[in-house]
Amino acid sequence: MSTVRTIAALREALLPSRRAGRTIGLVPTMGSLHDGHLSLLAAARAACDIVVVSLFVNPRQFDDAADLAAYPRDEARDAQVAADAGADLLFAPAAGELYPAAFATTVSVRGVAEPLEGAHRGAAHFDGVATVVTKLLNAAGPDVAYFGAKDAQQVAVVRRLVTDLAIPVRIEAVATVRESDGLALSSRNARLVPGDRQRAPAVHAALTAAQAAVDAGEREPAAVVAAGRAAMAGLDVEPEYLALVDPTTFAPVAALEGEILAVVAATVGGVRLIDNRTLKRESMTHAANDAQEQDPPRHGDRLRPALRRFDHRRPRAPGGG
């Protein structure tokens, strides 16, 4: 695996493959690679001839300076993990490469970016996401870009922007990888102290309870949400939001009809956690969904030897988000 740090070097490195008609896959990350990232890399490696991993902690998408300061960074470790996972190229730019002194452009997505994460983290969050993703897509020119399904609203925002701006790339969302107790993998999990780690599965418990309410015949969205809140309360966690939304627009649903996404966010011990689950209503679909939820990709299922050699948990940093 080669490492490049400028857009010009990235384009030059990819030019021979592009001319040869090889398929290029991009896995954008902010580092602190874990099994969730490895699932993205595995999907890219299986489908693409060339796999590019970007490593950039994007300051423009953090609404909390303490959260940005606490975000774990270890480029040497991440580079080794990416290489052992089969990446061909690591793009690790400095902030000044993506945001030079004269940089004066912001990409803003309206509608889908405004509720939930947009409301709680502020408009600047998804403006930062949309701007850096647009820049990465333009820099690498991939055929496919891979994102984690855990960040469902982010995926919806990215899909909206590539459609609206006619960027020729396919966006793939890869299934969430979870710990054995259901907690979705996140770089932030390393900052959970033991007591808070025991409470953190409340986020996933809310989604499981919401599906259980639907399975039991509940058809009122408010009652389904109430079931999820009750599950969280049992672990002494209060959600920032718990909502049933349309998975494309992220508008709240008035009835349990069609495809519905349950989304949740909560702060546990200063660490902000998010998760989501598609709710199924038909009995035959219930069984398939339950099987998937009972045996999702687990932490360690896709671990390659390189990741086993590195302890990706970090000591708790001051601050949180």
Side-chain angles (χ1 to χ4, degrees), residues 140-161:
D143 298 284
V144 193
Y146 295 84
F147 295 84
K150 177 181 73 69
D151 299 299
Q153 191 172 5
Q154 174 176 280
V155 173
V157 168
V158 171
R159 283 180 168 152
R160 183 74 267 159
L161 81 85

Side-chain angles (χ1 to χ4, degrees), residues 6-297:
T6 68
I7 293 172
L10 174 64
R11 289 172 172 165
E12 182 179 0
L14 290 173
L15 186 58
S17 295
R18 202 180 311 281
R19 285 176 171 168
R22 298 188 182 100
T23 303
I24 298 171
L26 173 67
V27 179
T29 84
M30 293 204 300
S32 191
L33 302 185
H34 51 63
D35 268 10
H37 296 108
L38 289 187
S39 71
L40 305 183
L41 279 162
R45 184 73 280 166
C48 301
D49 300 312
I50 302 295
V51 176
V52 181
V53 178
S54 65
L55 180 62
F56 180 66
V57 180
N58 179 30
R60 294 193 170 215
Q61 69 188 69
F62 284 81
D63 56 300
D64 183 344
D67 193 16
L68 174 60
Y71 200 88
R73 297 166 173 85
D74 188 342
E75 182 183 317
R77 171 199 171 276
D78 288 336
Q80 186 64 61
V81 171
D84 287 349
D88 299 296
L89 194 60
L90 178 70
F91 179 46
E97 177 65 16
L98 294 187
Y99 304 124
F103 193 83
T105 299
T106 297
V107 180
S108 293
V109 178
R110 297 295 175 239
V112 66
E114 294 174 348
L116 303 173
E117 289 296 290
H120 282 264
R121 303 190 66 173
H125 169 66
F126 277 131
D127 284 355
V129 170
T131 301
V132 78
V133 169
T134 300
K135 190 135 192 182
L136 290 171
L137 293 176
N138 284 335
D143 298 284
V144 193
Y146 295 84
F147 295 84
K150 177 181 73 69
D151 299 299
Q153 191 172 5
Q154 174 176 280
V155 173
V157 168
V158 171
R159 283 180 168 152
R160 183 74 267 159
L161 81 85
V162 300
T163 298
D164 290 350
L165 300 181
I167 300 175
V169 61
R170 186 173 81 251
I171 303 301
E172 289 287 345
V174 179
T176 302
V177 181
R178 302 182 180 279
E179 300 278 6
S180 59
D181 58 7
L183 179 66
L185 289 195
S186 169
S187 301
R188 300 172 188 269
N189 294 355
R191 290 158 46 199
L192 291 164
V193 298
D196 294 330
R197 176 62 185 82
Q198 292 178 358
R199 297 163 55 226
V203 175
H204 183 251
L207 304 175
T208 302
Q211 181 64 68
V214 173
D215 289 348
E218 185 55 65
R219 292 296 178 263
E220 290 297 325
V224 174
V225 169
R229 283 182 169 271
M232 297 183 75
L235 288 169
D236 193 27
V237 174
E238 177 72 19
E240 287 184 15
Y241 62 75
L242 174 58
L244 307 185
V245 301
D246 179 282
T248 300
T249 67
F250 274 69
V253 300
L256 297 183
E257 298 175 352
E259 188 175 0
I260 296 170
L261 192 68
V263 292
V264 60
T267 297
V268 180
V271 179
R272 193 168 185 276
L273 306 172
I274 63 172
D275 204 348
N276 65 83
R277 173 175 179 163
T278 299
L279 298 183
K280 306 290 186 181
R281 293 185 301 117
E282 296 79 15
S283 58
M284 288 183 64
T285 311
H286 290 160
N289 187 65
D290 288 346
Q292 181 179 8
E293 285 298 312
Q294 290 167 12
D295 189 24

